[in-house]
Coordinates of all heavy atoms in Angstrom, one line a residue:
P39 N 0.8 -1.2 0.0 CA 0.0 0.0 0.0 C 0.8 1.3 0.0 O 1.9 1.3 0.6 CB -0.8 -0.1 1.3 CG -0.8 -1.5 1.7 CD 0.5 -2.1 1.1
L40 N 0.3 2.3 -0.7 CA 1.0 3.6 -0.6 C 0.7 4.3 0.6 O -0.2 3.9 1.4 CB 0.6 4.4 -1.9 CG 0.8 3.7 -3.3 CD1 0.2 4.5 -4.3 CD2 2.3 3.5 -3.4
G41 N 1.3 5.5 0.8 CA 1.1 6.3 2.1 C -0.3 6.7 2.3 O -0.8 6.9 3.4
D42 N -1.1 6.8 1.2 CA -2.6 7.2 1.3 C -3.5 6.1 1.5 O -4.7 6.2 1.5 CB -2.9 8.1 0.1 CG -2.9 7.2 -1.2 OD1 -2.5 6.1 -1.2 OD2 -3.2 7.8 -2.2
G43 N -3.0 4.8 1.7 CA -3.8 3.7 2.0 C -4.3 3.0 0.7 O -5.0 2.0 0.8
T44 N -3.8 3.5 -0.4 CA -4.2 2.8 -1.7 C -3.1 2.0 -2.2 O -2.0 2.2 -1.9 CB -4.6 3.8 -2.8 OG1 -3.5 4.6 -3.1 CG2 -5.8 4.7 -2.4
S45 N -3.5 1.0 -3.0 CA -2.5 0.2 -3.7 C -2.0 1.0 -5.0 O -2.6 2.0 -5.2 CB -3.0 -1.2 -4.1 OG -4.1 -1.0 -5.0
G46 N -1.0 0.6 -5.7 CA -0.6 1.3 -6.9 C -1.7 1.5 -7.9 O -1.6 2.4 -8.7
D47 N -2.8 0.7 -7.8 CA -3.8 0.8 -8.8 C -5.0 1.6 -8.4 O -6.0 1.6 -9.0 CB -4.3 -0.6 -9.3 CG -4.8 -1.4 -8.1 OD1 -5.0 -0.9 -7.0 OD2 -5.2 -2.6 -8.4
G48 N -4.8 2.4 -7.3 CA -5.9 3.3 -6.8 C -6.9 2.5 -5.9 O -7.9 3.2 -5.6
V49 N -6.7 1.3 -5.6 CA -7.7 0.6 -4.8 C -7.4 0.9 -3.3 O -6.3 0.7 -2.8 CB -7.6 -1.0 -5.1 CG1 -8.5 -1.7 -4.1 CG2 -8.0 -1.2 -6.5
L50 N -8.4 1.3 -2.6 CA -8.3 1.6 -1.2 C -8.8 0.4 -0.4 O -9.9 0.0 -0.5 CB -9.1 2.8 -0.8 CG -9.1 3.2 0.6 CD1 -7.8 3.6 1.2 CD2 -10.1 4.4 0.8
D51 N -8.0 -0.1 0.5 CA -8.4 -1.1 1.4 C -9.1 -0.5 2.6 O -8.5 0.2 3.4 CB -7.1 -2.0 1.9 CG -7.6 -3.1 2.7 OD1 -8.7 -3.3 3.2 OD2 -6.6 -4.0 3.0
L52 N -10.4 -0.8 2.7 CA -11.2 -0.2 3.8 C -11.0 -1.0 5.1 O -11.4 -0.6 6.2 CB -12.6 -0.3 3.6 CG -13.1 0.6 2.3 CD1 -14.5 0.5 2.1 CD2 -12.6 2.0 2.5
G53 N -10.3 -2.1 5.1 CA -10.0 -3.0 6.2 C -11.4 -3.6 6.6 O -12.4 -3.7 5.9
K54 N -11.4 -3.9 8.0 CA -12.6 -4.5 8.5 C -13.5 -3.5 9.0 O -13.0 -2.6 9.9 CB -12.3 -5.6 9.6 CG -13.5 -6.2 10.2 CD -13.1 -7.2 11.3 CE -14.3 -7.8 11.9 NZ -14.1 -8.7 13.0
L55 N -14.7 -3.2 8.6 CA -15.6 -2.2 9.0 C -16.4 -2.7 10.2 O -17.0 -3.8 10.2 CB -16.6 -1.8 7.9 CG -15.9 -1.2 6.7 CD1 -17.0 -0.9 5.5 CD2 -15.1 0.0 7.0
E56 N -16.4 -1.9 11.3 CA -17.1 -2.3 12.6 C -18.4 -1.5 12.6 O -18.4 -0.4 12.2 CB -16.2 -2.0 13.8 CG -14.9 -2.7 13.9 CD -15.0 -4.2 14.2 OE1 -16.1 -4.6 14.7 OE2 -14.1 -4.9 13.8
G57 N -19.4 -2.1 13.0 CA -20.7 -1.6 13.1 C -21.5 -1.6 11.8 O -21.1 -2.2 10.9
P58 N -22.6 -0.9 11.8 CA -23.5 -0.9 10.6 C -22.8 -0.2 9.4 O -21.9 0.6 9.5 CB -24.7 -0.1 11.0 CG -24.3 0.7 12.1 CD -23.2 0.0 12.9
V59 N -23.1 -0.7 8.2 CA -22.6 -0.2 6.9 C -23.8 0.2 6.1 O -24.8 -0.5 6.0 CB -21.7 -1.3 6.2 CG1 -21.3 -0.7 4.9 CG2 -20.5 -1.6 7.1
L60 N -23.7 1.4 5.4 CA -24.7 1.9 4.4 C -24.0 1.7 3.1 O -23.0 2.4 2.8 CB -25.1 3.2 4.8 CG -26.1 3.8 3.8 CD1 -27.4 3.1 3.7 CD2 -26.4 5.3 4.1
L61 N -24.6 1.0 2.2 CA -24.2 0.8 0.8 C -25.3 1.2 -0.1 O -26.4 0.8 0.0 CB -23.9 -0.7 0.7 CG -23.3 -1.1 -0.7 CD1 -21.9 -0.6 -0.9 CD2 -23.4 -2.6 -0.8
F62 N -25.0 2.3 -0.9 CA -26.0 2.8 -1.8 C -25.3 3.3 -3.1 O -24.0 3.4 -3.1 CB -26.8 3.9 -1.2 CG -26.0 5.2 -1.0 CD1 -26.2 6.2 -1.9 CD2 -25.2 5.3 0.0 CE1 -25.6 7.4 -1.7 CE2 -24.5 6.5 0.3 CZ -24.7 7.6 -0.7
G63 N -26.0 3.4 -4.1 CA -25.4 4.0 -5.4 C -26.4 4.6 -6.3 O -27.6 4.6 -6.1
G64 N -25.8 5.1 -7.4 CA -26.7 5.7 -8.4 C -27.2 7.0 -8.0 O -28.4 7.2 -8.1
A65 N -26.4 7.9 -7.5 CA -27.0 9.3 -7.2 C -27.4 10.0 -8.5 O -28.5 10.7 -8.5 CB -25.9 10.1 -6.5
Y66 N -26.8 9.7 -9.6 CA -27.2 10.2 -10.9 C -27.5 11.6 -10.9 O -28.6 12.1 -11.5 CB -28.4 9.4 -11.4 CG -28.2 7.9 -11.6 CD1 -28.9 7.0 -10.9 CD2 -27.2 7.5 -12.5 CE1 -28.7 5.6 -11.1 CE2 -27.0 6.2 -12.7 CZ -27.7 5.2 -12.0 OH -27.5 3.9 -12.2
S67 N -26.7 12.4 -10.3 CA -26.9 13.9 -10.3 C -28.1 14.4 -9.5 O -28.5 15.5 -9.7 CB -26.8 14.5 -11.7 OG -25.7 14.2 -12.4
N68 N -28.7 13.6 -8.8 CA -29.8 13.9 -8.0 C -29.4 14.4 -6.6 O -29.3 13.5 -5.7 CB -30.8 12.7 -7.9 CG -32.2 13.0 -7.3 OD1 -32.3 14.0 -6.5 ND2 -33.2 12.3 -7.7
L69 N -29.2 15.7 -6.5 CA -28.7 16.2 -5.2 C -29.6 15.9 -4.0 O -29.2 15.5 -2.9 CB -28.5 17.7 -5.3 CG -28.0 18.5 -4.2 CD1 -26.7 17.9 -3.7 CD2 -28.0 20.0 -4.4
Q70 N -30.9 16.1 -4.2 CA -31.9 15.8 -3.1 C -31.9 14.4 -2.7 O -32.0 14.1 -1.5 CB -33.3 16.2 -3.6 CG -33.5 17.7 -3.8 CD -32.8 18.2 -5.1 OE1 -32.7 17.5 -6.0 NE2 -32.4 19.5 -5.1
A71 N -31.7 13.4 -3.7 CA -31.6 12.0 -3.2 C -30.4 11.7 -2.4 O -30.4 11.0 -1.4 CB -31.7 11.1 -4.5
L72 N -29.2 12.3 -2.8 CA -28.0 12.2 -2.1 C -28.1 12.8 -0.7 O -27.7 12.2 0.3 CB -26.8 12.8 -2.9 CG -25.5 12.7 -2.1 CD1 -25.1 11.1 -1.8 CD2 -24.4 13.2 -3.0
E73 N -28.7 14.0 -0.6 CA -28.9 14.6 0.7 C -29.7 13.7 1.6 O -29.5 13.6 2.8 CB -29.6 15.9 0.5 CG -28.7 17.0 -0.1 CD -29.4 18.3 -0.5 OE1 -30.6 18.3 -0.7 OE2 -28.8 19.3 -0.5
A74 N -30.8 13.1 1.0 CA -31.7 12.2 1.8 C -30.9 11.0 2.3 O -31.1 10.6 3.4 CB -32.9 11.8 1.0
M75 N -30.0 10.4 1.5 CA -29.3 9.2 1.9 C -28.3 9.5 2.9 O -28.1 8.9 3.9 CB -28.5 8.6 0.7 CG -29.4 7.8 -0.2 SD -30.4 6.4 0.5 CE -29.1 5.5 1.3
L76 N -27.6 10.7 2.8 CA -26.7 11.2 3.9 C -27.4 11.5 5.1 O -26.9 11.2 6.3 CB -25.8 12.4 3.3 CG -24.9 12.0 2.2 CD1 -24.2 13.3 1.7 CD2 -23.9 11.0 2.5
S77 N -28.6 12.0 5.0 CA -29.4 12.3 6.2 C -29.8 10.9 6.9 O -29.8 10.8 8.1 CB -30.7 13.0 5.9 OG -31.5 13.2 6.9
V78 N -30.2 9.9 6.2 CA -30.4 8.6 6.7 C -29.2 8.1 7.5 O -29.3 7.6 8.6 CB -30.9 7.7 5.6 CG1 -30.9 6.2 6.2 CG2 -32.3 8.0 5.1
A79 N -28.0 8.1 6.8 CA -26.8 7.7 7.5 C -26.6 8.5 8.8 O -26.3 7.8 9.9 CB -25.6 8.0 6.5
K80 N -26.9 9.8 8.8 CA -26.7 10.5 10.1 C -27.7 10.1 11.1 O -27.3 10.0 12.3 CB -26.8 12.1 9.7 CG -26.5 12.9 10.9 CD -26.6 14.4 10.5 CE -26.3 15.3 11.7 NZ -26.4 16.7 11.4
E81 N -28.9 10.0 10.7 CA -30.0 9.5 11.6 C -29.7 8.2 12.2 O -30.0 7.9 13.4 CB -31.4 9.5 10.8 CG -32.6 9.1 11.7 CD -33.7 9.0 10.8 OE1 -34.0 10.0 10.0 OE2 -34.5 8.1 10.8
L82 N -29.1 7.3 11.4 CA -28.8 5.9 11.9 C -27.5 5.8 12.6 O -27.0 4.8 12.9 CB -28.9 4.9 10.7 CG -30.2 4.7 10.1 CD1 -30.2 3.8 8.9 CD2 -31.3 4.2 11.1
R83 N -26.8 7.0 12.6 CA -25.4 7.2 13.2 C -24.4 6.2 12.5 O -23.6 5.6 13.2 CB -25.5 6.9 14.7 CG -26.3 7.8 15.4 CD -26.2 7.7 16.9 NE -26.9 8.7 17.6 CZ -27.7 8.7 18.7 NH1 -27.7 7.5 19.3 NH2 -28.3 9.7 19.2
I84 N -24.5 6.2 11.2 CA -23.6 5.4 10.4 C -22.5 6.4 9.9 O -22.8 7.3 9.2 CB -24.2 4.7 9.2 CG1 -25.3 3.7 9.8 CG2 -23.2 4.0 8.4 CD1 -26.1 3.1 8.6
P85 N -21.3 6.3 10.4 CA -20.2 7.2 10.0 C -19.8 7.2 8.5 O -20.0 6.1 7.9 CB -19.0 6.8 10.9 CG -19.2 5.4 11.2 CD -20.7 5.2 11.2
A86 N -19.3 8.2 8.0 CA -18.8 8.2 6.6 C -17.9 7.1 6.2 O -17.9 6.6 5.2 CB -18.2 9.6 6.3
K87 N -17.0 6.7 7.2 CA -16.1 5.7 6.9 C -16.7 4.3 6.7 O -16.2 3.4 6.2 CB -15.0 5.5 8.1 CG -15.6 5.1 9.4 CD -14.5 5.1 10.4 CE -14.9 4.5 11.8 NZ -15.1 3.1 11.8
N88 N -18.0 4.2 7.1 CA -18.8 3.0 6.9 C -19.9 3.1 5.9 O -20.9 2.3 5.8 CB -19.5 2.6 8.3 CG -18.5 1.9 9.2 OD1 -17.3 2.0 9.0 ND2 -19.1 1.2 10.2
T89 N -19.8 4.1 5.1 CA -20.8 4.5 4.0 C -20.1 4.4 2.7 O -19.1 5.0 2.5 CB -21.4 5.9 4.2 OG1 -21.9 6.0 5.6 CG2 -22.5 6.2 3.3
I90 N -20.7 3.6 1.7 CA -20.1 3.4 0.5 C -21.1 3.7 -0.6 O -22.1 3.1 -0.7 CB -19.6 1.9 0.4 CG1 -18.6 1.6 1.6 CG2 -18.9 1.7 -1.0 CD1 -18.3 0.1 1.7
H91 N -20.7 4.5 -1.5 CA -21.5 4.8 -2.7 C -20.9 3.9 -3.8 O -19.7 4.0 -4.1 CB -21.4 6.3 -3.1 CG -22.2 6.7 -4.3 ND1 -21.8 6.6 -5.6 CD2 -23.5 7.2 -4.4 CE1 -22.7 6.9 -6.4 NE2 -23.8 7.3 -5.7
T92 N -21.7 3.2 -4.5 CA -21.3 2.3 -5.5 C -21.1 2.8 -6.9 O -20.9 2.0 -7.8 CB -22.3 1.0 -5.6 OG1 -23.5 1.5 -6.0 CG2 -22.3 0.3 -4.2
G93 N -21.1 4.1 -7.1 CA -20.8 4.7 -8.4 C -22.0 5.2 -9.1 O -23.1 5.2 -8.6
D94 N -21.7 5.8 -10.3 CA -22.7 6.5 -11.0 C -23.2 7.8 -10.3 O -24.4 7.9 -10.1 CB -23.8 5.6 -11.5 CG -23.4 4.5 -12.4 OD1 -22.2 4.6 -12.9 OD2 -24.1 3.5 -12.5
V95 N -22.3 8.7 -10.0 CA -22.5 9.9 -9.3 C -23.3 10.8 -10.2 O -24.3 11.5 -9.7 CB -21.2 10.6 -8.7 CG1 -21.5 11.9 -8.0 CG2 -20.5 9.6 -7.8
V96 N -22.8 11.0 -11.4 CA -23.5 11.9 -12.4 C -24.2 11.1 -13.4 O -24.0 9.9 -13.7 CB -22.5 12.8 -13.0 CG1 -21.8 13.6 -11.9 CG2 -21.5 12.0 -13.8
A97 N -25.2 11.8 -14.1 CA -26.0 11.3 -15.2 C -27.4 11.6 -14.9 O -27.8 11.7 -13.7 CB -25.8 9.9 -15.5
Y98 N -28.2 11.8 -15.9 CA -29.6 11.9 -15.9 C -30.3 13.1 -15.2 O -31.1 13.8 -15.8 CB -30.3 10.7 -15.3 CG -29.7 9.4 -15.8 CD1 -29.1 8.4 -15.0 CD2 -29.8 9.1 -17.1 CE1 -28.6 7.3 -15.5 CE2 -29.3 7.9 -17.7 CZ -28.7 7.0 -16.8 OH -28.1 5.9 -17.3
C99 N -29.9 13.5 -14.0 CA -30.6 14.6 -13.3 C -29.9 15.9 -13.5 O -28.8 15.9 -14.1 CB -30.8 14.2 -11.8 SG -31.9 12.8 -11.6
A100 N -30.3 16.9 -12.8 CA -30.0 18.3 -13.1 C -28.8 18.9 -12.3 O -28.4 20.0 -12.7 CB -31.2 19.2 -12.8
Q101 N -28.2 18.2 -11.3 CA -27.2 18.8 -10.5 C -25.9 18.0 -10.4 O -25.6 17.6 -9.3 CB -27.8 19.2 -9.2 CG -28.9 20.3 -9.3 CD -29.6 20.6 -7.9 OE1 -30.3 19.8 -7.4 NE2 -29.2 21.7 -7.4
P102 N -25.3 17.7 -11.5 CA -24.1 16.9 -11.4 C -22.9 17.6 -10.5 O -22.4 16.8 -9.8 CB -23.7 16.7 -12.8 CG -24.3 17.9 -13.6 CD -25.6 18.2 -12.9
R103 N -22.8 18.8 -10.8 CA -21.6 19.5 -10.0 C -21.9 19.5 -8.5 O -21.0 19.1 -7.7 CB -21.5 20.9 -10.5 CG -20.3 21.6 -9.8 CD -20.0 23.0 -10.4 NE -19.5 22.8 -11.7 CZ -20.0 23.6 -12.8 NH1 -20.9 24.5 -12.6 NH2 -19.6 23.4 -14.0
E104 N -23.1 19.9 -8.1 CA -23.4 20.0 -6.7 C -23.5 18.6 -6.1 O -23.0 18.4 -4.9 CB -24.8 20.6 -6.5 CG -24.9 22.0 -7.0 CD -25.2 22.2 -8.5 OE1 -25.1 21.3 -9.3 OE2 -25.6 23.3 -8.8
T105 N -24.0 17.6 -6.8 CA -24.0 16.2 -6.2 C -22.6 15.7 -6.1 O -22.2 15.1 -5.0 CB -24.8 15.3 -7.3 OG1 -26.1 15.8 -7.4 CG2 -24.8 13.9 -6.7
T106 N -21.7 15.9 -7.0 CA -20.3 15.5 -6.9 C -19.7 16.2 -5.7 O -18.9 15.5 -5.0 CB -19.6 15.8 -8.2 OG1 -20.2 15.1 -9.3 CG2 -18.1 15.4 -8.2
E107 N -19.8 17.5 -5.6 CA -19.2 18.2 -4.5 C -19.7 17.7 -3.1 O -18.9 17.5 -2.2 CB -19.4 19.7 -4.6 CG -18.6 20.4 -5.7 CD -17.2 20.2 -5.5 OE1 -16.6 20.3 -4.4 OE2 -16.5 19.8 -6.5
L108 N -21.0 17.5 -3.0 CA -21.5 16.9 -1.7 C -21.0 15.6 -1.4 O -20.5 15.3 -0.3 CB -23.0 16.9 -1.7 CG -23.7 16.4 -0.5 CD1 -23.3 17.2 0.7 CD2 -25.2 16.3 -0.7
L109 N -20.9 14.7 -2.4 CA -20.3 13.4 -2.1 C -18.8 13.5 -1.7 O -18.4 12.8 -0.8 CB -20.5 12.5 -3.4 CG -20.2 11.0 -3.2 CD1 -21.1 10.5 -2.2 CD2 -20.2 10.3 -4.5
K110 N -18.0 14.4 -2.4 CA -16.7 14.5 -2.1 C -16.5 15.1 -0.7 O -15.6 14.5 0.1 CB -16.0 15.5 -3.0 CG -15.7 14.9 -4.4 CD -15.2 15.9 -5.4 CE -14.0 16.6 -5.0 NZ -13.5 17.5 -6.1
T111 N -17.3 16.0 -0.3 CA -17.1 16.7 1.0 C -17.7 15.8 2.2 O -17.4 16.0 3.3 CB -17.7 18.1 1.1 OG1 -19.1 18.0 0.8 CG2 -17.0 19.0 0.1
S112 N -18.5 14.8 1.8 CA -19.2 14.0 2.8 C -18.2 13.0 3.5 O -18.5 12.5 4.6 CB -20.4 13.2 2.2 OG -19.9 12.2 1.4
G113 N -17.2 12.7 2.8 CA -16.2 11.6 3.3 C -16.6 10.2 3.0 O -15.9 9.3 3.4
V114 N -17.7 10.1 2.3 CA -18.2 8.8 1.9 C -17.3 8.1 0.9 O -16.8 8.8 0.1 CB -19.6 8.8 1.4 CG1 -20.0 7.6 0.7 CG2 -20.6 9.3 2.4
H115 N -17.0 6.8 1.0 CA -16.2 6.1 0.0 C -17.1 6.0 -1.3 O -18.2 5.8 -1.2 CB -15.8 4.7 0.5 CG -15.0 4.7 1.8 ND1 -13.7 5.2 1.9 CD2 -15.4 4.4 3.1 CE1 -13.3 5.1 3.1 NE2 -14.3 4.7 3.8
C116 N -16.4 6.1 -2.4 CA -17.1 6.0 -3.6 C -16.3 5.2 -4.7 O -15.1 5.4 -4.9 CB -17.3 7.4 -4.2 SG -18.3 7.4 -5.7
L117 N -17.0 4.2 -5.2 CA -16.5 3.4 -6.3 C -16.7 4.0 -7.6 O -17.6 4.8 -7.8 CB -17.2 2.0 -6.2 CG -17.2 1.3 -4.9 CD1 -18.0 -0.1 -5.0 CD2 -15.8 0.9 -4.4
M118 N -16.0 3.5 -8.6 CA -16.1 4.0 -9.9 C -17.2 3.2 -10.6 O -17.1 2.0 -10.8 CB -14.9 3.9 -10.8 CG -15.0 4.4 -12.2 SD -13.5 4.4 -13.1 CE -12.9 2.7 -13.1
G119 N -18.3 3.8 -11.1 CA -19.4 3.2 -11.8 C -19.2 3.3 -13.3 O -18.1 3.9 -13.7
N120 N -20.1 2.8 -14.1 CA -19.9 2.8 -15.5 C -19.9 4.3 -16.0 O -19.3 4.7 -17.0 CB -20.8 1.9 -16.2 CG -22.3 2.3 -16.0 OD1 -22.7 2.3 -14.9 ND2 -23.0 2.6 -17.1
C121 N -20.7 5.2 -15.3 CA -20.7 6.6 -15.8 C -19.3 7.2 -15.5 O -18.9 7.9 -16.5 CB -21.8 7.3 -14.9 SG -23.4 6.8 -15.4
E122 N -18.7 7.0 -14.5 CA -17.4 7.6 -14.2 C -16.3 7.0 -15.1 O -15.4 7.6 -15.6 CB -17.0 7.3 -12.7 CG -17.7 8.1 -11.7 CD -19.0 7.6 -11.3 OE1 -19.2 6.3 -11.4 OE2 -19.9 8.3 -10.9
E123 N -16.5 5.7 -15.4 CA -15.5 5.0 -16.3 C -15.7 5.6 -17.7 O -14.7 5.9 -18.3 CB -15.8 3.5 -16.3 CG -14.9 2.8 -17.3 CD -15.1 1.3 -17.4 OE1 -16.3 0.9 -17.2 OE2 -14.2 0.6 -17.5
S124 N -16.9 5.8 -18.2 CA -17.0 6.3 -19.5 C -16.5 7.8 -19.7 O -15.9 8.1 -20.7 CB -18.5 6.2 -19.9 OG -19.3 7.1 -19.2
I125 N -16.7 8.6 -18.6 CA -16.2 9.9 -18.6 C -14.7 9.9 -18.6 O -14.0 10.6 -19.3 CB -16.8 10.8 -17.5 CG1 -18.2 11.0 -17.7 CG2 -16.0 12.0 -17.3 CD1 -19.0 11.5 -16.5
G126 N -14.1 9.1 -17.7 CA -12.7 9.1 -17.5 C -12.0 8.5 -18.6 O -10.8 9.0 -18.9
L127 N -12.6 7.7 -19.4 CA -11.9 7.0 -20.6 C -12.4 7.7 -21.9 O -12.1 7.2 -23.0 CB -12.1 5.6 -20.6 CG -11.6 4.8 -19.5 CD1 -11.9 3.3 -19.5 CD2 -10.1 5.0 -19.3
A128 N -13.2 8.8 -21.8 CA -13.7 9.4 -23.0 C -14.5 8.6 -23.9 O -14.4 8.6 -25.2 CB -12.6 10.2 -23.7
K129 N -15.3 7.7 -23.4 CA -16.1 6.7 -24.2 C -17.3 7.4 -24.7 O -17.9 8.2 -23.9 CB -16.5 5.5 -23.4 CG -15.4 4.6 -23.0 CD -16.0 3.4 -22.3 CE -14.9 2.3 -22.0 NZ -15.4 1.2 -21.2
L130 N -17.8 7.1 -25.8 CA -19.0 7.7 -26.3 C -20.3 6.9 -25.7 O -21.4 7.5 -25.7 CB -19.1 7.7 -27.8 CG -18.0 8.5 -28.5 CD1 -18.1 8.4 -30.0 CD2 -18.2 10.0 -28.1
D131 N -20.1 5.7 -25.2 CA -21.2 4.9 -24.8 C -20.7 4.5 -23.3 O -19.7 3.9 -23.1 CB -21.3 3.6 -25.7 CG -22.5 2.8 -25.2 OD1 -23.1 3.0 -24.2 OD2 -22.8 1.8 -26.0
C132 N -21.7 4.7 -22.4 CA -21.4 4.3 -21.0 C -21.6 2.8 -20.7 O -21.3 2.3 -19.7 CB -22.2 5.1 -20.0 SG -24.0 4.7 -20.1
G133 N -22.3 2.1 -21.7 CA -22.4 0.6 -21.5 C -23.8 0.3 -20.7 O -23.9 -0.8 -20.3
C134 N -24.6 1.3 -20.7 CA -26.0 1.0 -20.0 C -26.9 0.1 -20.7 O -27.8 -0.5 -20.3 CB -26.7 2.4 -19.7 SG -25.9 3.4 -18.5
G135 N -26.7 0.0 -22.1 CA -27.5 -0.8 -22.9 C -28.7 -0.1 -23.5 O -29.7 -0.8 -23.9
F136 N -28.7 1.2 -23.4 CA -29.8 2.0 -24.0 C -29.8 1.8 -25.5 O -28.8 1.7 -26.1 CB -29.7 3.4 -23.6 CG -30.1 3.7 -22.2 CD1 -29.2 3.9 -21.2 CD2 -31.5 4.0 -21.8 CE1 -29.5 4.1 -19.9 CE2 -31.8 4.3 -20.5 CZ -30.9 4.4 -19.6
P137 N -31.0 1.8 -26.2 CA -31.0 1.7 -27.6 C -30.3 2.9 -28.2 O -30.2 3.9 -27.7 CB -32.6 1.8 -27.9 CG -33.3 1.4 -26.6 CD -32.4 1.9 -25.5
E138 N -29.8 2.7 -29.4 CA -29.0 3.7 -30.1 C -29.7 5.0 -30.4 O -29.1 6.0 -30.3 CB -28.5 3.1 -31.5 CG -27.4 2.2 -31.3 CD -26.8 1.9 -32.6 OE1 -26.7 2.8 -33.5 OE2 -26.3 0.7 -32.8
D139 N -31.1 4.9 -30.5 CA -31.9 6.1 -30.8 C -32.3 6.9 -29.5 O -33.0 7.8 -29.5 CB -33.1 5.8 -31.6 CG -34.0 4.8 -30.9 OD1 -33.6 4.2 -30.0 OD2 -35.2 4.8 -31.4
S140 N -31.7 6.5 -28.3 CA -32.0 7.1 -27.1 C -30.8 7.8 -26.5 O -29.7 7.6 -27.1 CB -32.6 6.2 -26.0 OG -31.6 5.3 -25.6
M141 N -31.0 8.6 -25.5 CA -29.8 9.2 -24.9 C -29.6 8.6 -23.5 O -30.6 8.3 -22.8 CB -30.1 10.7 -24.6 CG -30.2 11.5 -26.0 SD -28.7 11.6 -26.8 CE -27.8 12.7 -25.8
C142 N -28.3 8.3 -23.2 CA -28.0 7.9 -21.8 C -27.6 9.0 -20.9 O -27.0 9.9 -21.3 CB -26.8 6.8 -21.9 SG -26.3 6.2 -20.3

């Protein structure tokens, strides 16, 4: 592992998580939905270190920048979903399987 806890390939070992874990994903630029999930975590006293977003932070809804910023500042762990992968690799298709005549 590197000094930041990641391996050379950017994988972060979370170790053994103690207590409840909140696993959710697909914020899809929906700021209000992300706020609601973070509120649930707070209400259930699940710390950010035990909260994991499974990817697809942006897409579909109206607030990609704000959703991304909130997720970054929340301290929640975030995996790379197909939306992040397609943006990061400049792919024209995210791999969602939508018909060619539709928009993903």
Side-chain angles (χ1 to χ4, degrees):
L40 302 175
D42 62 359
T44 64
S45 60
D47 58 4
V49 175
L50 176 63
D51 182 353
L52 299 179
K54 182 177 179 185
L55 300 176
E56 300 289 337
V59 173
L60 176 62
L61 181 70
F62 72 102
Y66 297 120
S67 304
N68 186 333
L69 179 61
Q70 292 75 27
L72 178 57
E73 290 171 335
M75 284 305 301
L76 295 176
S77 178
V78 167
K80 184 176 181 179
E81 181 180 311
L82 296 175
R83 297 186 175 145
I84 301 173
K87 68 182 182 81
N88 282 17
T89 306
I90 303 166
H91 183 276
T92 61
D94 297 340
V95 178
V96 299
Y98 312 120
C99 294
Q101 294 177 286
R103 182 176 297 135
E104 296 88 344
T105 303
T106 301
E107 286 302 317
L108 177 57
L109 192 62
K110 283 172 59 177
T111 60
S112 72
V114 167
H115 301 289
C116 188
L117 305 175
M118 179 173 62
N120 62 302
C121 292
E122 289 81 28
E123 180 183 33
S124 65
I125 292 169
L127 298 176
K129 291 182 178 179
L130 296 177
D131 183 356
C132 71
C134 290
F136 284 95
E138 282 189 38
D139 62 343
S140 70
M141 296 292 290
C142 176

